[in-house]
């Protein structure tokens, strides 16, 4: 058995996937790969269309996250989740949406993902 360095899950060695110099379990890989790959133009287009339908406004949660990033300029994903009281899957989802809207950027630094403007 091997252990995922991110979520500490016990998984079979063969299930670990290489990601940025680490070997992580499939769940972490799926979550993180969205944050590491380049934004795809189609996803970006869809996110913008969705926002237009909402009257050009962010949802309340997206706005909260965006405000936090505006204040801090750069905030680690985990810290942002803590400040907002969200779990990791929730923050991933909102960050990815804001990224598609080209309001924030993400960069992965070791075990942390940094959200910035
Ligand atoms: Zn994991």
């Amino acid at each position: 058995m091997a252990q995922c360095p991110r979520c500490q899950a016990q998984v079979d060695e063969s299930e670990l996937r290489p990601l940025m110099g680490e070997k992580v379990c499939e769940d972490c890989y799926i979550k993180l790969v969205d944050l590491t790959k380049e934004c795809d133009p189609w996803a970006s287009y869809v996110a913008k269309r969705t926002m237009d339908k909402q009257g050009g406004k962010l949802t309340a949660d997206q706005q909260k996250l965006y405000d936090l990033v505006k204040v801090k300029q750069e905030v680690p994903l985990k810290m942002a989740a803590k400040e907002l009281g969200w779990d990791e899957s929730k923050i991933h989802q909102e960050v990815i949406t804001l990224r598609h809207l080209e309001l924030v950027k993400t960069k992965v630094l070791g075990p942390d993902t940094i959200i910035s403007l």
Side-chain angles (χ1 to χ4, degrees), residues 32-106:
L32 283 162
V33 82
D34 274 340
L35 291 172
T36 54
K37 72 183 174 203
E38 285 298 305
C39 206
D40 108 58
W42 176 249
S44 193
Y45 171 77
V46 172
K48 283 178 188 158
R49 280 283 300 266
T50 307
M51 193 168 83
D52 283 346
K53 284 195 201 131
Q54 292 163 2
K57 287 203 199 91
L58 297 174
T59 65
D61 282 344
Q62 286 160 4
Q63 190 66 51
K64 267 194 237 169
L65 176 60
Y66 185 42
D67 287 345
L68 182 72
V69 180
K70 276 198 289 193
V71 170
K72 301 212 183 252
Q73 304 288 314
E74 277 202 344
V75 60
L77 192 85
K78 281 184 186 139
M79 193 191 285
K82 215 168 159 187
E83 293 227 5
L84 296 163
W86 296 351
D87 62 26
E88 241 183 283
S89 61
K90 163 105 177 138
I91 193 130
H92 271 107
Q93 189 193 322
E94 302 297 0
V95 167
I96 288 164
T97 310
L98 287 183
R99 231 184 60 153
H100 288 156
L101 294 170
E102 292 162 5
L103 294 172
V104 302
K105 299 187 188 92
T106 51

Side-chain angles (χ1 to χ4, degrees), residues 4 6-9 24-25 27-28:
C4 169
R6 287 182 178 263
C7 68
Q8 321 304 325
V24 301
C25 73
D27 283 352
C28 289

